[in-house]
Amino acid sequence: MYVKCGRFDLAQNVFNVSERDQVSYNTLIVGYSENPLCSEALDLFLDMRSVGIEYDVVSIVGALSACGNLSALKQGKEIHCLSMRKLFDTHLFVANSLIDLYTKCGRIALGKKIFDRISNKDVASWNAMILGYGMQGELEAAINLFDLMKDEGLEYDHVSYIAVLSACSHAGLVERGKRYFDQMLAQNIRPTQMHYACMVDLLGRAGLMTEAAELVRSMPFEADSNVWGALLGACRIHGNIELAQLAAEHLFKLKPGHCGYYILLSNMYAEVGRWNEADKVRALMKSRKVKKNPGCSWVQIGNKLRAFLVGEGSQGSELELCYDELVKGERMSSAYLSWPQT
């Protein structure tokens, strides 16, 4: 209950004071893996084995999902090997999670191998592969796979259309995207915010700003931040200040703490020399105490990931070890580059 309500602190408190079993571990692992707490999901996955509780399919799926969201390829491969030893890798849910893992980590060929080996592919299998091709920029492959899916006798669902509309948007296939959207309506699939966001992005990228704005106005429900964000991004590409103002006003209300929207609008004003408006946006951002998130990188040592924020200094033995390893790597690269090549 607490996990589904997003109160992971309370869920963890109950977990800490309760007798733990496979179900309680799985509930938290899956819950954490579907939110920005994927590292905690992997910590629980390791702890589960250390206290003598066996993994099942749900445990494996949750851990693989966390690895995919973190792009933690090494840990994902280790869990893949574990699933093979336990003969879970042939389970459809596990196979679909493996496709998701490898495509998110940029290993699209590995994802395709697993996809091809699944004898009982379901809609989720196809969706994972289509989304994977789209994420890796192989747009033609994504669209072709979508069309092939129908030839295999499978019915599309709402995720299938999100995947193909996103691919059409990035490929600039406006008419084809419109056709898929109409096909979805004919299939009696009710469009969600994400479907409209994809269509606004499709039209906006193609420069059809009036049509994109009209689509937002004609939506049967209030547009969310995904839709207005897509419109604002299109305005940035084509320099439509007036429409950008409208989109930004809604975004400032829907997500007042999101720094990107303020910065984007301010930069648009600055590019056309409207400095007063740019300063006003920056002042609004400051008054709301909205700060730009610092850049972040990470390195892996053993089984631990250590994140580094911009400007962070070396403090503590773990950080010192990370910097030592980085410096060592730079020296090896320098030595190799300076060595006479034959």
Side-chain angles (χ1 to χ4, degrees):
M1 185 271 288
Y2 285 130
V3 165
K4 287 184 176 179
C5 292
R7 292 300 305 271
F8 295 101
D9 54 337
L10 297 178
Q12 186 70 54
N13 288 343
V14 174
F15 178 82
N16 291 341
V17 299
S18 303
E19 183 177 346
R20 303 170 192 177
D21 63 1
Q22 195 178 63
V23 175
S24 55
Y25 268 98
N26 287 347
T27 302
L28 269 187
I29 289 170
V30 172
Y32 281 149
S33 71
E34 294 174 349
N35 291 273
L37 297 166
C38 295
S39 294
E40 287 83 347
L42 293 180
D43 289 341
L44 277 173
F45 184 76
L46 292 173
D47 184 58
M48 186 176 177
R49 185 62 179 270
S50 68
V51 298
I53 298 177
E54 287 294 321
Y55 300 133
D56 64 0
V57 168
V58 179
S59 320
I60 298 292
V61 167
L64 287 172
S65 176
C67 290
N69 292 332
L70 289 170
S71 296
L73 182 60
K74 179 177 181 292
Q75 286 90 340
K77 283 185 172 181
E78 291 170 353
I79 296 168
H80 185 180
C81 292
L82 174 64
S83 70
M84 292 175 70
R85 288 199 300 272
K86 289 185 168 291
L87 304 179
F88 289 155
D89 60 308
T90 56
H91 192 287
L92 185 58
F93 290 173
V94 174
N96 290 345
S97 297
L98 287 168
I99 296 172
D100 183 66
L101 163 74
Y102 287 124
T103 54
K104 284 181 177 176
C105 292
R107 303 297 297 273
I108 195 77
L110 287 176
K112 184 63 165 60
K113 280 184 179 180
I114 293 168
F115 177 80
D116 290 339
R117 289 174 184 168
I118 300 175
S119 59
N120 56 332
K121 299 180 185 70
D122 65 355
V123 176
S125 312
W126 289 83
N127 289 346
M129 204 65 229
I130 295 167
L131 286 166
Y133 276 129
M135 282 189 291
Q136 298 306 318
E138 298 189 28
L139 306 174
E140 186 176 346
I143 295 170
N144 289 341
L145 198 63
F146 178 84
D147 291 336
L148 181 62
M149 183 176 168
K150 190 170 186 179
D151 295 339
E152 294 293 323
L154 285 169
E155 286 290 330
Y156 302 125
D157 65 4
H158 69 285
V159 178
S160 311
Y161 283 105
I162 290 173
V164 76
L165 288 174
S166 177
C168 288
S169 174
H170 287 85
L173 301 174
V174 177
E175 292 305 318
R176 195 163 185 174
K178 287 181 178 179
R179 189 166 70 248
Y180 285 137
F181 189 78
D182 291 339
Q183 177 181 310
M184 179 182 69
L185 296 177
Q187 197 179 325
N188 292 322
I189 295 177
R190 186 179 179 184
T192 65
Q193 296 279 2
M194 283 305 300
H195 293 109
Y196 280 107
C198 289
M199 287 302 295
V200 170
D201 189 60
L202 172 75
L203 297 169
R205 284 175 183 267
L208 304 172
M209 302 304 300
T210 302
E211 195 172 343
E214 184 57 37
L215 179 64
V216 176
R217 294 189 188 97
S218 66
M219 287 173 56
F221 39 73
E222 290 292 323
D224 70 357
S225 59
N226 293 310
V227 176
W228 288 114
L231 186 61
L232 181 61
C235 292
R236 174 70 179 84
I237 295 171
H238 299 287
N240 192 322
I241 296 285
E242 287 68 28
L243 205 51
Q245 286 176 315
L246 175 66
E249 286 173 7
H250 285 87
L251 288 166
F252 293 163
K253 293 176 183 176
L254 292 167
K255 286 198 171 181
H258 193 296
C259 64
Y261 303 135
Y262 298 90
I263 295 169
L264 198 154
L265 183 62
S266 177
N267 289 344
M268 287 184 68
Y269 282 135
E271 286 173 4
V272 295
R274 294 169 62 171
W275 301 106
N276 288 336
E277 286 95 335
D279 290 340
K280 286 179 182 178
V281 175
R282 292 281 180 172
L284 177 64
M285 183 177 174
K286 188 175 181 180
S287 69
R288 293 181 175 180
K289 298 180 180 180
V290 179
K291 293 184 179 179
K292 185 177 180 181
N293 296 325
C296 177
S297 300
W298 65 83
V299 295
Q300 180 174 328
I301 295 182
N303 288 322
K304 289 189 176 181
L305 289 172
R306 179 57 170 88
F308 294 87
L309 296 177
V310 170
E312 183 176 14
S314 176
Q315 297 176 354
S317 59
E318 187 180 340
L319 275 173
E320 293 289 354
L321 178 60
C322 290
Y323 281 112
D324 288 345
E325 291 293 324
L326 290 171
V327 170
K328 187 191 300 181
E330 288 181 2
R331 287 174 179 167
M332 290 174 65
S333 298
S334 298
Y336 174 79
L337 292 171
S338 61
W339 191 265
Q341 304 296 307
T342 59

